[in-house]
Amino acid sequence: MDIDVDKLVKAGKIAGEARDLGASLVKPGASAREICEEVEGYIRRKGAEPAFPCNFSVDEVAAHYTPGLDDDVKLRGIEVVKVDVGAHIDGYIADTARTVDLSGVYEKLLEASKAALERVVSIMKPNIRVYDIGKAIEAEIRKRGYKPVRNLTGHTIDRWTIHAGTQIPNYPDRATFHKRLRPGTLVAVEPFATNGRGIVRDGGLVNIYSLIPRKPKYKLSEEEAEILSYIQEHYKTLPFTPRWLLEDFDKRGIEAAIRSLVSKGILYPYPILVEAGKGKVSQFEHTFLILEDRVIVTTCKECV
Ligand code: MN
Ligand code: MN
């Protein structure tokens, strides 16, 4: 991976602050849209860009919800809320998340994924086995009576690429037995814990997309071409949300263009991911920069 330590550390600091700002706004009566706009605005004011839309996934929604053009989530004060934030500077990305419990009864569920991430912080080192990370995560979650989510994983990160080649499962997956995290790797680790089945499935709703870098096979309308070049220029291949296009395009035009660009194979949709047993889901996440002789947890100021 192309490494710029200064930019990665700065992006990590901003992402961490934006995550904590978002979490501090999670209160009864608040809406996902208000909070996500604050989070994304904070990232921009600090001199970075969102690396993906602010994810605000509630209860059994494990990941990939962000407010859409029409939909929003208003908090009642009984929810388990995951705030998952990404920031980048010149494509150098940080990815981090935490969970807030408004219900007052899921503190232990949060503790399971939080303790799992803290274990990973304590064992992370150059050349660590991916298998050993998954083993530590699963152990911390199971001993608190919960299950890890098996089909949501951490991931290596490249410049301009949020999900690079290697997945970091939240359990000891035999397929990762010989895989090690070499110096020069940037990696996000994100334990998900649940009281449900431990599997997520496609929940249908899509408010996040990314550009598939290939030449369009089909002819585009003028408006589609205009929106496509806007996406290329502003987000490259990083995930974005149609909400961000409202500054420059009208809602009907955005909806039509997105629908068409998905059907033409130019945009990749990220549907919300919902726990298969309708279990509550908690998540904590940090980004780790693995160097020759040390590890920097870019999104954690307490971790040094
Ligand atoms: Mn994340
Ligand atoms: Mn991630």
Side-chain angles (χ1 to χ4, degrees):
M1 138 110 188
D2 182 4
I3 300 277
D4 182 322
V5 175
D6 286 350
K7 285 179 178 168
L8 288 168
V9 166
K10 193 174 171 205
K13 180 169 186 288
I14 294 167
E17 290 166 358
R19 171 204 64 213
D20 292 344
L21 169 65
S24 76
L25 299 173
V26 171
K27 289 184 181 129
S31 82
R33 180 179 300 267
E34 291 160 12
I35 295 174
C36 283
E37 283 176 0
E38 285 288 331
V39 164
E40 291 161 358
Y42 181 88
I43 291 168
R44 294 186 176 110
R45 281 201 307 284
K46 290 290 170 173
E49 289 291 328
F52 50 82
C54 157
N55 278 222
F56 196 92
S57 304
V58 170
D59 291 337
E60 70 273 17
V61 181
H64 296 173
Y65 180 76
T66 198
L69 294 170
D70 291 312
D71 54 281
D72 195 3
V73 169
K74 184 120 181 217
L75 295 174
R76 292 188 291 162
I78 55 170
E79 295 90 349
V80 173
V81 181
K82 280 115 5 229
V83 179
D84 191 338
V85 170
H88 79 88
I89 296 172
D90 291 339
Y92 294 100
I93 296 169
D95 180 5
T96 185
R98 58 184 274 194
T99 305
V100 178
D101 174 41
L102 291 177
S103 74
V105 298
Y106 289 109
E107 271 310 314
K108 220 177 99 195
L109 175 67
L110 271 59
E111 178 59 27
S113 50
K114 188 164 190 270
L117 184 58
E118 284 166 358
R119 256 297 280 299
V120 175
V121 169
S122 75
I123 64 171
M124 186 63 88
K125 59 181 183 187
N127 302 309
I128 190 172
R129 285 198 310 189
V130 171
Y131 183 87
D132 291 335
I133 296 173
K135 194 171 162 187
I137 290 171
E138 178 168 63
E140 292 296 327
I141 292 174
R142 294 263 182 209
K143 81 180 182 201
R144 290 170 176 81
Y146 296 101
K147 292 176 188 158
V149 176
R150 293 177 72 86
N151 58 344
L152 279 174
T153 68
H155 47 96
T156 53
I157 300 172
D158 281 343
R159 192 176 179 196
W160 296 111
T161 304
I162 182 70
H163 292 138
T166 302
Q167 296 189 335
I168 316 296
N170 290 315
Y171 66 97
D173 181 350
R174 298 297 302 182
T176 65
F177 199 73
H178 297 290
K179 184 78 197 167
R180 290 175 186 272
L181 298 179
R182 304 294 181 191
T185 301
L186 186 67
V187 64
V189 179
E190 45 191 311
F192 284 85
T194 184
N195 60 352
R197 286 178 48 194
I199 297 278
V200 289
R201 55 175 176 73
D202 180 337
L205 178 65
V206 184
N207 286 336
I208 301 176
Y209 301 87
S210 68
L211 186 67
I212 300 166
R214 69 160 81 115
K215 219 186 166 89
K217 267 194 289 192
Y218 306 95
K219 192 164 164 46
L220 304 182
S221 73
E222 203 170 304
E223 177 137 49
E224 285 166 29
E226 202 187 328
I227 287 183
L228 177 60
S229 70
Y230 184 96
I231 293 165
Q232 272 162 341
E233 183 189 340
H234 288 81
Y235 318 123
K236 298 197 195 303
T237 54
L238 292 173
F240 69 94
T241 183
R243 179 166 55 79
W244 290 350
L245 302 173
L246 282 171
E247 290 222 349
D248 294 86
F249 300 94
D250 70 81
K251 189 167 142 307
R252 297 253 311 269
I254 297 167
E255 282 169 342
I258 297 272
R259 204 178 316 118
S260 170
L261 291 170
V262 169
S263 75
K264 288 172 179 168
I266 296 165
L267 290 184
Y268 178 84
Y270 296 84
I272 61 166
L273 297 172
V274 181
E275 214 291 317
K278 292 272 179 190
K280 307 285 181 190
V281 179
S282 72
Q283 171 208 19
F284 283 80
E285 177 177 24
H286 280 313
T287 296
F288 300 77
L289 174 58
I290 299 171
L291 300 171
E292 287 291 340
D293 54 343
R294 69 197 165 110
V295 172
I296 302 173
V297 191
T298 68
T299 53
C300 179
K301 63 172 191 283
E302 307 83 30
C303 289
V304 278

